[in-house]
Amino acid sequence: MTIFTFTFHSRVMHRLAFLVGILSVLSLKTSGQIFVYQEKDGNVFTSVDSYSPGKTNTYTKLTYLGSPFLTFPVWQPGKIRLDMEGNVLDCQLAYNLNTNEVLCRFEGDSAVKTVTPAVFSINNTEFVRYQNSLMGIDYRLYYSIIHNGPTKLLKSLSNQLGYMNSEEQIRVRSYRDLNLSGSYRIITKYFIQKGNGEPKLISLSKKSLMDALADQAFALESKIPTKSLTTNEVIDILNHYDSLVAEARINRAHLSKEDVFRQIFQNKISYPGWVGNQGIYGRIYAGFDIDSLGYVKNVVILSPDNIGFGFTSEAKKALETMSNVAPAFQGRYALPVTFTYENAKEKTGPHIPVNRLPDDRLNKRTVLEEVIVPFTTNKAGIASREVWGYYK
């Protein structure tokens, strides 16, 4: 149970005291009282009166530069929503960055509650909770949304105790009487979230963004400076990325949903029977262009050659004999064709290839929806294997 009281101190403008059951101070578990206060020059300090358990209780007083909380004064007007469908509630909030806890007290009620809201806002900054599981342990993080597009830029804040650096020592040299034991230091991390996917940790660098946005890396490469990036520059890059994805989605939807094109291709391609009878399966990528008249041109195999198994020749032959399509589909495409193998004698279901073509080998082609070519047998004793090959 946490109890908060405000007290007055002659050398400070504000002071907050509260009791905690378990307090983490430099990795030591103690119980005691914390005072967060601000001096007239604006420096914030945290004083900890701690009691270590044992045969005899040991009292220690430690003082740190900074505060474990997001704001000072610690209590700020805020709003919480306990779940996404719930009502927005007004309350006083304190956000502990060190323990990742949100503390709340409602008007007319002095009791302090630790809450885990889906969303809360403090000082006009909104934080959203993301729940995840790591090694079987559930954990939560709160992110503020810096850019709320189809691809979001998120920021998380935490804070850690550490020894003071030289800059901090110079800043507080007039407080030598406090015998400062260290400082609370805020740690800022940035994440990219595609749609409703899991946020991916990034640094504000070209390499990190290229890794996070790998599906459009080729098109983005010349747009991203090599220097350390600002958040505004990252937002501009994300907007450009979203426009590329939207354009690719439109193109993909057009030709992928062209039933005549898919049906004709499906009718023209076959699973090499002798290959299926040996349990061989795989995925190939065929590249092709559609010209201004709607003709299929320049058919190439983008994936590694698997000469001798017939997968690449089947796909290439089918594309080269395709009839023309609407000229509106003019563009450069990559078509994944997946040859799946299933043996009714097995209980594992179909064998689906795992190999995929890296984005850097697509050469700015629009990737179409995958075409599945299945093979089923009922013969015992066949060992299945996937083929992929090697790049030249």
Side-chain angles (χ1 to χ4, degrees):
M1 180 178 180
T2 309
I3 303 173
F4 289 74
T5 58
F6 283 93
T7 62
F8 177 82
H9 191 279
S10 59
R11 40 182 310 208
V12 303
M13 296 175 62
H14 303 283
R15 185 168 180 168
L16 171 69
F18 55 95
L19 299 173
V20 292
I22 298 294
L23 171 69
S24 175
V25 181
L26 293 179
S27 302
L28 297 176
K29 288 187 177 180
T30 64
S31 61
Q33 192 172 29
I34 300 177
F35 299 90
V36 179
Y37 60 91
Q38 185 180 51
E39 295 289 354
K40 291 181 180 180
D41 60 5
N43 279 309
V44 174
F45 297 94
T46 299
S47 179
V48 181
D49 296 332
S50 62
Y51 304 87
S52 300
K55 292 183 178 179
T56 58
N57 288 336
T58 304
Y59 169 76
T60 307
K61 181 172 182 177
L62 301 171
T63 304
Y64 301 94
L65 175 63
S67 161
F69 291 91
L70 173 66
T71 60
F72 190 89
V74 172
W75 288 110
Q76 297 286 334
K79 300 177 184 294
I80 63 170
R81 182 182 293 165
L82 296 178
D83 57 65
M84 287 302 186
E85 288 73 37
N87 295 326
V88 176
L89 305 174
D90 293 322
C91 64
Q92 292 282 315
L93 286 178
Y95 182 23
N96 190 325
L97 298 177
N98 191 253
T99 61
N100 197 35
E101 290 180 319
V102 180
L103 307 173
C104 174
R105 65 184 184 191
F106 296 98
E107 185 177 358
D109 185 356
S110 61
V112 174
K113 299 177 175 63
T114 300
V115 294
T116 54
V119 180
F120 73 92
S121 61
I122 186 170
N123 281 354
N124 296 318
T125 300
E126 185 175 83
F127 295 85
V128 181
R129 184 185 73 205
Y130 287 85
Q131 197 84 16
N132 212 325
S133 181
L134 182 65
M135 299 178 65
I137 301 174
D138 288 334
Y139 66 95
R140 67 181 183 276
L141 283 175
Y142 290 103
Y143 300 94
S144 59
I145 301 175
I146 299 177
H147 172 64
N148 197 15
T151 303
K152 298 179 179 66
L153 179 62
L154 310 175
K155 179 172 74 172
S156 77
L157 299 174
S158 61
N159 121 358
Q160 290 182 353
L161 273 175
Y163 296 106
M164 288 194 300
N165 57 37
S166 56
E167 181 182 338
E168 291 168 332
Q169 289 174 357
I170 293 173
R171 190 172 110 209
V172 297
R173 57 190 172 188
S174 60
Y175 295 97
R176 290 174 183 167
D177 60 311
L178 294 179
N179 293 318
L180 295 171
S181 300
S183 67
Y184 282 100
R185 201 167 290 121
I186 291 181
I187 299 171
T188 303
K189 293 181 179 179
Y190 294 94
F191 297 79
I192 283 177
Q193 183 188 28
K194 297 179 181 178
N196 294 319
E198 184 174 340
K200 179 180 176 62
L201 177 66
I202 64 162
S203 61
L204 301 184
S205 68
K206 179 173 184 174
K207 182 181 184 305
S208 184
L209 280 183
M210 294 282 283
D211 289 343
L213 308 175
D215 54 315
Q216 295 292 338
F218 188 85
L220 290 172
E221 204 277 336
S222 61
K223 304 287 185 182
I224 305 177
T226 54
K227 66 179 183 64
S228 179
L229 302 170
T230 66
T231 54
N232 285 336
E233 288 173 325
V234 173
I235 290 170
D236 289 340
I237 293 163
L238 293 183
N239 284 329
H240 184 56
Y241 168 82
D242 285 336
S243 68
L244 293 172
V245 171
E247 181 182 354
R249 187 178 295 118
I250 292 171
N251 291 336
R252 183 186 302 119
H254 279 174
L255 193 54
S256 290
K257 302 303 182 184
E258 175 61 29
D259 292 337
V260 174
F261 176 86
R262 291 184 66 83
Q263 190 60 52
I264 292 175
F265 181 83
Q266 197 90 48
N267 291 339
K268 285 178 174 289
I269 194 166
S270 300
Y271 204 119
W274 70 272
V275 175
N277 286 324
Q278 293 187 31
I280 297 171
Y281 60 99
R283 176 182 286 110
I284 67 100
Y285 286 75
F288 64 95
D289 301 338
I290 293 180
D291 66 14
S292 59
L293 299 177
Y295 288 100
V296 176
K297 300 284 188 179
N298 305 323
V299 178
V300 294
I301 300 301
L302 304 173
S303 48
D305 287 333
N306 293 308
I307 296 173
F309 297 108
F311 294 148
T312 53
S313 58
E314 278 288 331
K316 193 171 183 181
K317 180 181 68 175
L319 283 169
E320 287 176 339
T321 57
M322 291 287 292
S323 54
N324 61 316
V325 299
F329 296 132
Q330 181 180 4
R332 305 181 72 223
Y333 297 94
L335 177 63
V337 184
T338 300
F339 296 83
T340 63
Y341 168 81
E342 182 174 11
N343 193 330
K345 294 291 186 182
E346 301 174 347
K347 298 180 179 179
T348 56
H351 295 271
I352 300 173
V354 298
N355 284 296
R356 294 188 178 276
L357 193 69
D359 292 329
D360 60 358
R361 291 186 173 269
L362 294 172
N363 296 325
K364 295 187 177 181
R365 298 176 186 271
T366 297
V367 182
L368 301 177
E369 291 182 10
E370 194 167 62
V371 173
I372 307 295
V373 184
F375 181 89
T376 303
T377 187
N378 193 26
K379 297 179 182 179
I382 299 177
S384 60
R385 64 188 179 97
E386 178 181 354
V387 292
W388 180 245
Y390 300 94
Y391 296 107
K392 292 182 179 180

